[in-house]
Amino acid sequence: MAKQFIPDRVMSILAASVLALTGLSGSTRIACAQGRAYVANFGSNTVSVIDTSSNTVVATVNVGSQPYAVAVTPDGTQAYVANCGGDVFVIATSNNTVSAKVVVGGCPYDVAITPDGTLAYVVRDNASSVWAIDTSSNTVVAKVTVVDTPGAIAITPDGTKAYVTSVGTLSTSPAVSVIDISSNTVVTTLNVGGIGTSPVGVAITPDGKYAYVPNGGGYVSVIDTSSTMVTTQVSVPGIGVSQVGIAITPD
């Protein structure tokens, strides 16, 4: 299952680059402020900076091999770009130049930043780990072991927990690992899978009460964050449908 999952993710990025706008924390896919959009171009090893008022590219930044995901600090000063060369490039948004590079190895699939902007969490494939980067020094300060082949991460609005999805392997089931950010330890692991499932996306409601996980097997799991239990499975009709992304409205 994991071997099928990785090419699907790569093809989805080739078809549509990951988009992030500077500023708003809580989503590594789309965030908005300051009139700039940062787009990870997987096929050209660059990030395009778009002026959202004119919808024109105002800068192109080289960020290493196959950039996969991008997230911006809440104050809008730094963009963190994870690439499949095993690096996280840090872009200073004031002049759109690379200010730092953090080596994590493997192929980082996703990145999320805590609401206070102090930590950037990077999800690595095939390493069963999530790496925590101190944004003030741009050094790795922790490595957290999760279920095999993690693919996506989201942080609760209060900054206390990180939810990490993993597709698992032949010996492990698809799961969501819940990380306590204060201690950088896994406090709960939820089995959200079944035959044919691949949880590769996650989003948390603005009030922090629920986490939504698309499973790729025809449904979305709804997790109650207070009890850390799956309370609902929402059916998404369609034969052969592979759900890989999700976003939640501000309300």
Side-chain angles (χ1 to χ4, degrees):
M1 180 168 54
K3 291 182 179 178
Q4 295 175 345
F5 157 73
I6 294 172
D8 288 345
R9 292 270 298 185
V10 172
M11 290 304 295
S12 69
I13 295 298
L14 289 172
S17 297
V18 175
L19 172 65
L21 309 182
T22 58
L24 181 65
S25 133
S27 172
T28 65
R29 300 307 187 196
I30 299 176
C32 56
Q34 299 185 6
R36 292 290 186 271
Y38 285 74
V39 182
N41 302 310
F42 183 89
S44 66
N45 304 331
T46 62
V47 165
S48 296
V49 184
I50 298 173
D51 183 318
T52 59
S53 62
S54 61
N55 285 322
T56 58
V57 175
V58 294
T60 301
V61 186
N62 293 318
V63 288
S65 177
Q66 300 174 329
Y68 214 102
V70 56
V72 180
T73 53
D75 63 6
T77 61
Q78 298 185 102
Y80 282 74
V81 184
N83 70 45
C84 278
D87 304 312
V88 177
F89 278 69
V90 185
I91 298 173
T93 60
S94 58
N95 55 13
N96 289 316
T97 60
V98 174
S99 59
K101 183 178 79 169
V102 184
V103 179
V104 297
C107 181
Y109 273 149
D110 206 359
V111 57
I113 298 171
T114 54
D116 63 4
T118 60
L119 294 170
Y121 281 84
V122 181
V123 174
R124 264 189 58 184
D125 75 315
N126 296 332
S128 306
S129 60
V130 175
W131 298 59
I133 298 171
D134 184 315
T135 58
S136 62
S137 62
N138 284 318
T139 57
V140 175
V141 294
K143 184 176 76 170
V144 186
T145 300
V146 294
V147 175
D148 295 314
T149 319
I153 184 170
I155 296 173
T156 55
D158 63 7
T160 62
K161 300 291 190 299
Y163 281 67
V164 182
T165 64
S166 299
V167 300
T169 63
L170 293 176
S171 61
T172 57
S173 298
V176 172
S177 301
V178 182
I179 298 172
D180 177 85
I181 288 177
S182 64
S183 61
N184 280 315
T185 57
V186 174
V187 293
T188 306
T189 300
L190 300 172
N191 188 332
V192 295
I195 297 173
T197 60
S198 298
V200 296
V202 57
I204 298 172
T205 53
D207 60 11
K209 291 182 178 180
Y210 299 98
Y212 283 73
V213 179
N215 278 307
Y219 60 90
V220 175
S221 297
V222 183
I223 300 170
D224 184 321
T225 59
S226 62
S227 63
T228 55
M229 295 180 61
V230 176
T231 59
T232 308
Q233 302 279 23
V234 182
S235 177
V236 183
I239 298 174
V241 172
S242 181
Q243 299 81 22
V244 296
I246 190 165
I248 296 173
T249 56
D251 62 0

